[in-house]
Amino acid sequence: MVDTPLPLEVRNLKKRFGSNEVLKGLSLQAHQGDVITLIGASGSGKSTFLRCMNLLEQPNEGELIVHGETIRFKETRHGREPADWQQVVNMRAKLSMVFQNFNLWAHMTLLENVIEAPVHVLKKPRKEAIEHGRALLDRVGLLERADYYPMQMSGGQQQRGAIARALAMDPEVMLFDEPTSALDPELVGDVLKVMRDLAKEGRTMIVVTHEMAFAKDVSSQVMYLHQGMVEEAGPPAEVLGNPRSERLKQFLAPKH
Amino acid sequence: MIDLQGYGPRLLEGALVTIELALLSLVVAIFLGLLTASAKMSRSWLLHKIGTLYTTVIRGVPDLVLMLLLFFGGQIGINMVTDWLYDRFGIDIFININEFVAGVITIGLIFGAYMGETFRGAFLAVDSGQIEAGRAYGMSEALMFRRIRFPQMMRHALPGLSNNWMVLLKTTALVSIIGLTDMVRVAAEASKATHEPFTFLIPVAVIYLLIASVSEWIFARLQKRYNVGFGEADEWNN
Ligand SMILES: Nc1ncnc2c1ncn2[C@@H]1O[C@H](COP(=O)(O)OP(=O)(O)O)[C@@H](O)[C@H]1O
Ligand SMILES: [Mg+2]
């Protein structure tokens, strides 16, 4: 590989809520095409870690480097904050996020949701955005739902729509926070299928998930978090196939 | 037809004053309401206190007292400033508070406080996950306000907005106190002169009702417009 900058790098990230330190120095390197899955018990800090990556939460310490650009911080009386919000806005436009609860904008149709940020944040011409948006909706199997409002669609359709919205940004990295956890079991498969296809085409993805089969088949790296620290990390065959710590063995053991 | 005894044109002029006054006051009130709601939701301690003080004072003092206070008190305040300018610098200016402007400011100020509460509740009712999605997709606060917060807030604010508007409309009748010739004042004068109060007050009541009906129709349209995407399930059986 030549010297292309990593899509995303996190160094020694720490996050406190009040006096409660929930992330105790986490690092991560995402190379082009990596799929990194974050697993761990509820409350271990997976969502907070992901949300720190696009600064929906402000980390107290640590470095964030997006496509070679280091995010600058400054100290204020509210704590540590980004020094340049324009830089954050540009950075966020490179990382798109898919939420557990979809969070599609309810007052816009599906197609309007998909073109919103490309048109208003990236300043893409509307016509071009619509063409691209429709192609993406076709990809996730929702072209005929383009003019539906989110509340007129099932959870699985909303989540696939949300993935199309994320793709419309042509992101460097896609962040997924338990994308299938709010879905009825019969709808999970369609969403995972879309995500597997994305991985196959070489998208860089960071995925918080409880879907172990997905983690095993798709990821290039698995990180097991416990109380805000990485307890084990490595290729899925190692971490999931041959766990070392007792805790991870417990975590992976079939329930009941 | 009722014989308006030559007062017809003046009554119509008065009606126009009422409508202009009400609409301009509404604009001021909405503007102040949005500001107040933002102040009360901001993380600045000072802005929060100012917003709270404003709404508390306005809600605790009768509208009529506020209007007299602002009109006469405002004039005294301005006179003090112009006197001081004359004494100190020899600058000789005279500013007379215009009744119409005073009316718009007072009514706007009163209803700005009520609108502030309406807007605050409406903004807080917007799903925070959707705001977060905006933030995550690189939207600035201003863009999010325009594209997400405002359009989604309106559906929660419209019922309160509509109520406030109806009360505001009727409150404009108070401006005859400070000498503004709205339709109520014309009707009162005409009634006194002719000893036929019904001839003038019934048309005035009808005009108020007419404005109210038109407003209700407009608000119903707006409500429908801002409910798109949230509408009743029966429209959507697909
Ligand atoms: N906004 C917040 N304020 C205070 N504590 C929080 C907040 N968000 C998360 N936490 C705490 O941080 C810890 C990690 O939470 P989270 O990242 O949501 O875990 P996970 O996604 O792994 O379930 C939990 O103890 C949670 O209670
Ligand atoms: Mg979580």
Side-chain angles (χ1 to χ4, degrees):
Chain A
M1 281 253 294
V2 209
D3 246 16
T4 50
L6 294 181
L8 177 66
E9 184 172 2
V10 182
R11 288 189 196 148
N12 195 29
L13 188 138
K14 295 184 184 172
K15 172 66 183 172
R16 287 183 298 274
F17 288 111
S19 60
N20 180 21
E21 185 165 55
V22 299
L23 303 179
K24 299 166 184 154
L26 296 177
S27 300
L28 170 153
Q29 284 194 341
H31 294 85
Q32 182 61 47
D34 272 356
V35 177
I36 300 177
T37 48
L38 303 175
I39 61 171
S42 171
S44 56
K46 305 179 298 293
S47 296
T48 306
F49 188 29
L50 202 67
R51 292 161 53 79
C52 281
M53 293 179 201
N54 65 358
L55 296 177
L56 288 178
E57 299 286 359
Q58 303 305 322
N60 299 97
E61 282 177 45
E63 269 184 84
L64 202 57
I65 305 156
V66 179
H67 200 75
E69 194 175 330
T70 303
I71 305 299
R72 293 184 299 279
F73 291 95
K74 63 173 185 215
E75 291 299 330
T76 73
R77 62 198 167 91
H78 300 290
R80 193 175 184 243
E81 281 185 3
D84 175 3
W85 277 101
Q86 191 53 47
Q87 188 188 34
V88 174
V89 164
N90 297 342
M91 175 271 271
R92 283 173 176 164
K94 291 192 184 110
L95 310 179
S96 40
M97 192 166 215
V98 175
F99 300 86
Q100 184 171 351
N101 295 312
F102 333 129
N103 294 346
L104 289 172
W105 298 301
H107 62 301
M108 300 179 190
T109 65
L110 183 54
L111 183 62
E112 286 169 348
N113 265 279
V114 170
I115 67 169
E116 177 67 20
V119 170
H120 289 100
V121 177
L122 303 179
K123 309 281 183 210
K124 210 171 175 181
R126 197 180 170 79
K127 223 179 128 212
E128 202 177 296
I130 290 176
E131 258 168 50
H132 188 207
R134 292 180 66 86
L136 290 170
L137 287 180
D138 196 23
R139 251 200 84 168
V140 299
L142 288 175
L143 187 54
E144 82 285 6
R145 292 277 189 263
D147 297 324
Y148 281 53
Y149 287 91
M151 282 169 79
Q152 297 170 297
M153 299 189 294
S154 74
Q157 291 173 334
Q158 288 188 57
Q159 195 60 301
R160 281 183 285 142
I163 293 174
R165 172 174 72 172
L167 286 169
M169 299 298 279
D170 288 322
E172 293 267 336
V173 182
M174 296 177 78
L175 310 174
F176 293 82
D177 191 1
E178 298 201 29
T180 57
S181 295
L183 298 179
D184 294 334
E186 73 272 19
L187 302 175
V188 169
D190 285 346
V191 172
L192 287 181
K193 163 117 190 8
V194 169
M195 292 173 62
R196 282 171 190 268
D197 290 346
L198 292 174
K200 223 176 282 167
E201 76 177 34
R203 291 272 170 193
T204 311
M205 299 158 66
I206 298 174
V207 186
V208 174
T209 188
H210 291 294
E211 297 288 337
M212 290 308 150
F214 176 87
K216 193 159 160 246
D217 301 348
V218 178
S219 25
S220 43
Q221 204 194 140
V222 178
M223 294 172 75
Y224 171 60
L225 297 193
H226 175 67
Q227 296 186 349
M229 284 186 287
V230 178
E231 183 136 318
E232 281 187 42
E238 256 173 51
V239 176
L240 301 176
N242 188 17
R244 277 167 290 147
S245 81
E246 205 45 49
R247 204 162 6 237
L248 178 53
K249 281 180 192 158
Q250 284 278 315
F251 179 76
L252 294 174
K255 307 291 180 289
H256 331 284
Chain B
M1 270 304 283
I2 329 168
D3 178 12
L4 290 173
Q5 313 198 16
Y7 278 99
R10 283 196 60 205
L11 212 53
L12 271 184
E13 269 169 42
L16 272 182
V17 169
T18 298
I19 292 171
E20 282 170 11
L21 182 68
L23 285 179
L24 283 174
S25 305
L26 179 69
V27 171
V28 173
I30 287 178
F31 180 72
L32 284 175
L34 287 172
L35 274 186
T36 312
S38 312
K40 280 187 156 187
M41 291 185 300
S42 94
R43 65 180 181 181
S44 147
W45 172 90
L46 183 67
L47 284 180
H48 190 92
K49 275 277 177 284
I50 292 173
T52 309
L53 182 72
Y54 167 51
T55 44
T56 311
V57 168
I58 298 287
R59 287 202 291 191
V61 180
D63 297 353
L64 187 53
V65 176
L66 280 173
M67 188 169 290
L68 294 172
L69 210 59
L70 273 155
F71 185 62
F72 296 115
Q75 186 65 64
I76 290 169
I78 287 176
N79 289 349
M80 273 159 60
V81 172
T82 51
D83 285 354
W84 179 79
L85 281 176
Y86 183 73
D87 291 345
R88 271 309 281 275
F89 306 106
I91 301 171
D92 195 4
I93 43 171
F94 180 70
I95 301 172
N96 202 358
I97 294 193
N98 170 304
E99 293 89 355
F100 186 80
V101 173
V104 168
I105 291 175
T106 318
I107 296 174
L109 217 53
I110 293 168
F111 284 88
Y114 295 110
M115 297 287 189
E117 290 303 286
T118 303
F119 284 133
R120 193 173 74 99
F123 278 117
L124 291 177
V126 176
D127 172 30
S128 61
Q130 293 180 44
I131 305 289
E132 190 146 83
R135 201 167 281 142
Y137 279 83
M139 293 191 178
S140 64
E141 287 299 320
L143 184 62
M144 267 193 317
F145 181 86
R146 192 159 63 79
R147 301 290 306 170
I148 302 170
R149 279 189 210 270
F150 185 83
Q152 291 217 16
M153 164 288 281
M154 279 303 275
R155 136 189 125 85
H156 300 288
L158 276 167
L161 216 62
S162 159
N163 270 335
N164 286 337
W165 161 249
M166 296 295 177
V167 180
L168 182 155
L169 177 64
K170 292 188 278 187
T171 302
T172 57
L174 286 184
V175 294
S176 51
I177 302 278
I178 58 174
L180 194 60
T181 314
D182 72 327
M183 67 175 167
V184 175
R185 187 173 170 119
V186 175
E189 279 173 11
S191 306
K192 227 182 267 169
T194 61
H195 301 287
E196 286 178 25
F198 291 119
T199 312
F200 302 101
L201 289 171
I202 287 174
V204 164
V206 169
I207 293 173
Y208 273 118
L209 277 174
L210 216 65
I211 302 174
S213 316
V214 171
S215 314
E216 246 171 71
W217 180 79
I218 292 173
F219 274 107
R221 296 286 301 256
L222 284 173
Q223 191 73 57
K224 206 165 164 183
R225 153 91 181 68
Y226 283 107
N227 269 345
V228 167
F230 297 90
E232 310 85 292
D234 57 12
E235 277 178 40
W236 287 351
N237 284 326
N238 54 75

